[in-house]
Amino acid sequence: MAAHRSGPLKPHNKAHKGGRHHGGGSAQQGGKGRVAPKVLCKKLKKQLSRVDQRHRASQLRRQKREAVLAEKRQLGSKDGPPHQVLVVPLHGRISLPEAFRLLQNEDLGTVYLNQRGSTQSFMLLCPGLKHRWFFTYARPGDLHTVLDMAKVADTILFLLDPLEGWDDTGDHCLSCLFAQGLPTYTLAVQGLSSLPPKKQIDARKKLSKAVEKRFPEDKLLLLDTQQEAGMLLRQLANQKQRHLAFRDRRAYLFAHVADFVPSEESNLVGTLKISGYVRGRTLNVNSLLHIVGHGDFQMNQIDAPVDPFPLNPRVIKCQKKQSTAMEICATDAVADMEEDLRVLMKADPDQQESLQAEVVPDPMEGEQTWPTEEELDEANDVLKQRSRVVKKVPKGTSNYQAEWILDEGDESGDEGDEYDDIQHEGFMEEESQDESGEEEEEECETMTLGESVHDDLYDEKIDEEAEERMLEKYKQERLEEMFPDEMDTPRDVAARIRFQKYRGLKSFRTSPWDPKENLPRDYARIYQFQNFINTRKRIFKEIEEKEAEGAEVGWYVTLHVSDVPVSVVEYFRQGAPLIAFSLLPYEQKMSVLNMVVSRNPGNTEPVKAKEELIFHCGFRRFRASPLFSQHTAADKHKFQRFLTADAALVVTVFAPITFPPASVLLFKQRSNGMHSLIATGHLLSVDPDRMVIKRVVLSGHPFKIFTKMAVVRYMFFNREDVMWFKPVELRTKWGRRGHIKEPLGTHGHMKCSFDGKLKSQDTVLMNLYKRVFPKWTYDPYVPEPEPWVKSEISTVSEVDME
């Protein structure tokens, strides 16, 4: 018999008032006994029974389980793209040919071999497992290739050494891959069976402890025999796939075949034909295509040839050697492909995305009119009236003499003579300090150290100019840490001219600053969203809900990419991977990107702002000179001259629009061609209105102190500069605040008043601010680095140890 449940119209009496003993019912105090209105709609307040709740939970579990199984079955099946596996050896002792020989398991299916340049890859078709794999490899020292291929790989197979696991190069490669975002991965150990039986258990325990730090709760598989290789393949096929957000919302393709057709006008530019499997999302011919490392291009046609790697291929056995019987001759397949080639889509000029990346500014837009002579005369009259000061002076006093007469009630009194005396004493003190410094130098001794046997060999590898530049950088970074933003006032240029673009602020946090004020001409070339967050949500919602037309996921297609330089196909023929991503709307247009990064703890080299760095931002790779600023929630952000190691910073650059989430890696190219990892992080926003404010601190020293009044010198060196910066507020290192009252003399001394008594050892500071903008140094072409190896210093030290 079902239990009775009251309906929505059941009356509710007022709750009992517990007096002043609130206790657990203190939340009802604001209600004062009032009862909330009854909700008659059952949809808003629907209560399920316990049986219905369990049934609903089981349905949700079943739906999630079916979605995961469908994803597993789709990947590598006859209707989906091949399961692409990237093999990365993490140690120099790993034998890649031996690993590939074991993975080319002829007992499981058919093997297609493909050799291009110095790289080898193969397709493994297993009709018994109803799965097909595409295996490629990349050396850890070739960072760009590893990172690019990891962006499109379904699974990464890490090969470990049984004794050490990974070396320094492999550790550096792992750091970069973790920062970029790892897809599904598997760990395999090669060579464990070659160890003595007694050492195998100890080596496995030691390796498990080392692996647990980087890969917690991951099992180690073996790769020494054909049976272990078969178990590894089954593990790869049954793994749950991990998703990378930046590639799940875009269509992407790994090129298996590339052909170049030069244009009629020039042999250097033509149509590039890329063949491969569509992954991620449906590929539309009207969208733009980004070829990693080469830029953005338009497509004019998509063909749908016959799949060259069907799951149940027609096997042709060669008569010469039995060992190569499973290799397939692809000539007949290519002939069939040419016969059955059909055009899938052609670009529509009305719907095709434009390649325009910059706005062409109109020089006449925003034209300003010059003021007339009458308006200038009125402004001068107003300034003269404001500058007039009424004083009582004796008869016959000239205007110049009147400027030196102080007002009544001034606290300076008889400071003139004392001022000159103290100034003379100050110079005497400086001379005495110089003499004492010379005496200290005379007391120093010089010592000759013993010469090393390998000094000549060591000096040959050192670039003296680079050493001097690095030493200067270290000095600047040390000075910035000790005296942040402090700058010496120049003696040869007036301060009002040197700092004419700076301004004073009452409060850095609350003082207003217009983000559209005094923008550089480069800001007329970029695009800006009215509301970037809403635009991003709208585009992502359209991707999820709207069905796109084009090549479906898993189809083998040929893309006709127009106006491509011939260097792209030459790059591919040399063995480098060719990877293409489709762009979302607006992603080809230039704007200002802000990225949050943290310093890589393994790199201690000083990195100055506006130095050229190499960026890996999502699927893009480019070079730019960034700005560094503090990562705060305010509307103004303080500029940082160096990339600090103790806090996350925001990097600002001109670059094409990219919708987050996207990982960010920063590399710096050394003089020897190697690329070292500087920082890692993620894309924050696309916002040109983010204000990066540079601060300059001018320092002065109290010369004479009268309670709350003080004479300050060495901040400025002429009277006009003191008058120019008079409205700016002063502060001290010990927390006092004040302002300039008037100048004294003609050498930049000034009388200042403070909110408390000033100490003689305190320092008077003046903060000046200026907005800074990034440089337009975007370059989509990044040269290939030298293989990553140990530093030269460590190599030389090993020679010395021998």
Side-chain angles (χ1 to χ4, degrees), residues 496-540:
R496 63 186 182 277
I497 297 176
R498 170 63 179 84
F499 304 110
Q500 60 184 345
K501 294 183 179 180
Y502 290 80
R503 68 182 71 176
L505 295 178
K506 181 71 175 177
S507 171
F508 182 78
R509 185 178 63 88
T510 60
S511 295
W513 197 311
D514 185 7
K516 304 296 185 183
E517 176 187 355
N518 294 332
L519 296 178
R521 295 190 63 86
D522 288 338
Y523 268 56
R525 303 164 58 187
I526 65 173
Y527 290 83
Q528 183 176 4
F529 296 98
Q530 188 173 4
N531 192 323
F532 175 73
I533 297 177
N534 289 349
T535 305
R536 174 177 169 270
K537 288 181 179 178
R538 176 180 59 81
I539 292 176
F540 285 0

Side-chain angles (χ1 to χ4, degrees), residues 65 109 117 132 172 210 212 250 273 308 376 401 414 566 656 666 687 707:
R65 190 183 302 113
R132 53 181 177 172
H172 183 68
E212 189 176 359
R250 300 170 178 87
K273 297 180 180 180
L376 291 174
Q401 292 172 342
D414 301 328
V566 69
L666 269 65
D687 184 14
T707 314

Side-chain angles (χ1 to χ4, degrees), residues 300-334:
N300 52 31
Q301 183 177 321
I302 297 180
D303 298 337
V306 176
D307 190 348
F309 307 108
L311 193 56
N312 297 310
R314 184 178 58 185
V315 179
I316 302 175
K317 294 185 178 181
C318 298
Q319 301 295 330
K320 294 183 179 180
K321 294 183 180 180
Q322 296 295 330
S323 60
T324 60
M326 301 307 292
E327 296 184 5
I328 293 187
C329 303
T331 55
D332 294 342
V334 171

Side-chain angles (χ1 to χ4, degrees), residues 379-425:
N380 291 331
D381 294 339
V382 172
L383 289 176
K384 289 178 181 178
Q385 290 177 2
R386 289 181 181 176
S387 60
R388 288 174 183 170
V389 180
V390 180
K391 293 184 179 181
K392 292 182 180 180
V393 296
K395 265 189 176 181
T397 305
S398 64
N399 292 334
Y400 177 78
Q401 292 172 342
E403 292 289 337
W404 291 89
I405 298 177
L406 303 176
D407 295 335
E408 294 181 359
D410 205 309
E411 296 180 14
S412 59
D414 301 328
E415 288 180 3
D417 298 335
E418 296 178 2
Y419 173 80
D420 294 334
D421 294 339
I422 297 176
Q423 186 177 10
H424 181 68
E425 292 175 4

